[in-house]
Amino acid sequence: RYISTFRPSVKCDTEKNKAQWKTMGPAKVAMPSPKKFLQKHSKEPKLPARKKEQDSKKLPALSVPRRTDHPVMGIQSKKNFINTNAVAAIMGSPKKPQPIYVDRRQGDKYLLETSGLVPKYIKKKDYGVTPKYITRRNEEMKRAQEEYEASILEHLKKRAMKRLSDEERTSLLQGLKKNWEEVYREFQGLSVEIDTIPKKIYKEKLELQMKQLEHDIEVIEKHKVIYIANE
């Protein structure tokens, strides 16, 4: 019969990897010693031993007099407490009652100051004042914008560029809108039925002109600063 050449190595590996509990019969385990039996309170947690420093620590002084202390006798005062209290009551300013509010006719009374109904916040000194960090940030943004515009102007001067003034920009925008209205009027005057090639070409030409004019108007309205090349 056929016998594999790897049989000895497989047998050796199987013996090595075999666990104790994978055997026939009970596993051979050492018996516990009879002297190590479970005792009473053995599983309860044990507190650490008290340190000597805690034992030697003194108790804080009591504010209550001790039993052995005797009161000081023989001390007398010549102050007339009746007259003093009467003068203080006459000369003192009357105590102002605390403002309260009641939720209904037979409801409970609550302090008005802690209720949130008193407009304390608007009486603050810095109420309505712009915070310092926002002012500082706005100044930094303005400074950065000015520096950017200055650098752009320098760059454009080198390239011989000219900035359009507000009047020129407005007039240019109005001229573009006027041209668009003229082209649109021509577009509206086309015949309803376009059946020839010249009509189709003319219609496409008008549509391209209107689209270009709309694009130019949108660009000029979007950008307030416009530069053009000097001729």
Side-chain angles (χ1 to χ4, degrees):
R1 109 187 137 169
Y2 170 76
I3 297 174
S4 176
T5 56
F6 301 103
R7 180 183 176 121
S9 60
V10 172
K11 194 173 182 180
C12 184
D13 292 341
T14 305
E15 291 293 336
K16 283 181 182 178
N17 298 331
K18 198 169 186 182
Q20 292 182 354
W21 57 87
K22 293 181 179 178
T23 57
M24 295 295 292
K28 295 180 180 180
V29 183
M31 296 294 291
S33 175
K35 294 180 181 180
K36 296 181 180 180
F37 56 89
L38 185 64
Q39 296 181 356
K40 190 177 183 181
H41 305 296
S42 61
K43 291 189 176 182
E44 293 179 1
K46 294 182 180 180
L47 297 175
R50 190 173 183 182
K51 296 181 180 180
K52 293 183 180 180
E53 296 178 359
Q54 295 178 357
D55 298 340
S56 60
K57 200 178 281 186
K58 293 182 179 179
L59 295 172
L62 298 174
S63 59
V64 181
R66 298 181 180 275
R67 183 172 56 85
T68 56
D69 294 346
H70 298 285
V72 181
M73 306 296 289
I75 296 177
Q76 295 181 357
S77 176
K78 296 181 180 180
K79 182 179 179 180
N80 192 343
F81 290 96
I82 297 174
N83 294 340
T84 305
N85 294 340
V87 170
I90 293 168
M91 300 298 294
S93 58
K95 187 178 179 181
K96 294 182 179 179
Q98 286 186 327
I100 58 174
Y101 77 97
V102 183
D103 51 1
R104 57 182 186 272
R105 184 183 297 177
Q106 297 174 348
D108 299 327
K109 296 180 181 180
Y110 303 98
L111 292 175
L112 186 63
E113 187 176 359
T114 58
S115 65
L117 300 173
V118 182
K120 283 185 176 181
Y121 190 78
I122 60 174
K123 294 181 180 179
K124 295 175 76 175
K125 293 181 179 180
D126 56 348
Y127 180 76
V129 180
T130 307
K132 293 181 180 179
Y133 74 93
I134 293 180
T135 308
R136 186 169 59 251
R137 185 176 63 185
N138 292 340
E139 290 176 357
E140 291 174 357
M141 290 173 63
K142 188 177 179 182
R143 196 182 308 114
Q145 183 67 22
E146 289 175 356
E147 291 175 358
Y148 174 72
E149 288 181 359
S151 63
I152 290 291
L153 282 173
E154 253 182 69
H155 181 66
L156 294 175
K157 282 178 183 178
K158 291 178 182 178
R159 296 181 59 187
M161 301 291 284
K162 177 188 174 183
R163 178 177 174 178
L164 282 180
S165 62
D166 294 340
E167 293 81 7
E168 292 174 345
R169 177 176 169 274
T170 306
S171 62
L172 178 62
L173 191 61
Q174 289 176 356
L176 288 172
K177 289 181 179 179
K178 187 176 180 182
N179 292 341
W180 184 88
E181 289 176 359
E182 292 177 358
V183 176
Y184 183 71
R185 193 180 300 110
E186 291 181 9
F187 183 80
Q188 291 290 327
L190 292 174
S191 59
V192 178
E193 187 177 356
I194 299 174
D195 50 355
T196 61
I197 294 175
K199 288 182 179 180
K200 289 181 181 179
I201 294 172
Y202 186 60
K203 181 185 177 185
E204 290 176 359
K205 181 182 176 182
L206 292 178
E207 287 177 349
L208 287 174
Q209 288 180 1
M210 289 172 62
K211 192 177 291 184
Q212 185 62 37
L213 287 169
E214 288 173 0
H215 177 264
D216 295 342
I217 290 169
E218 185 181 356
V219 169
I220 294 174
E221 286 180 344
K222 186 177 180 182
H223 301 90
K224 294 183 179 180
V225 181
I226 300 172
Y227 295 92
I228 58 174
N230 287 330
E231 295 180 357

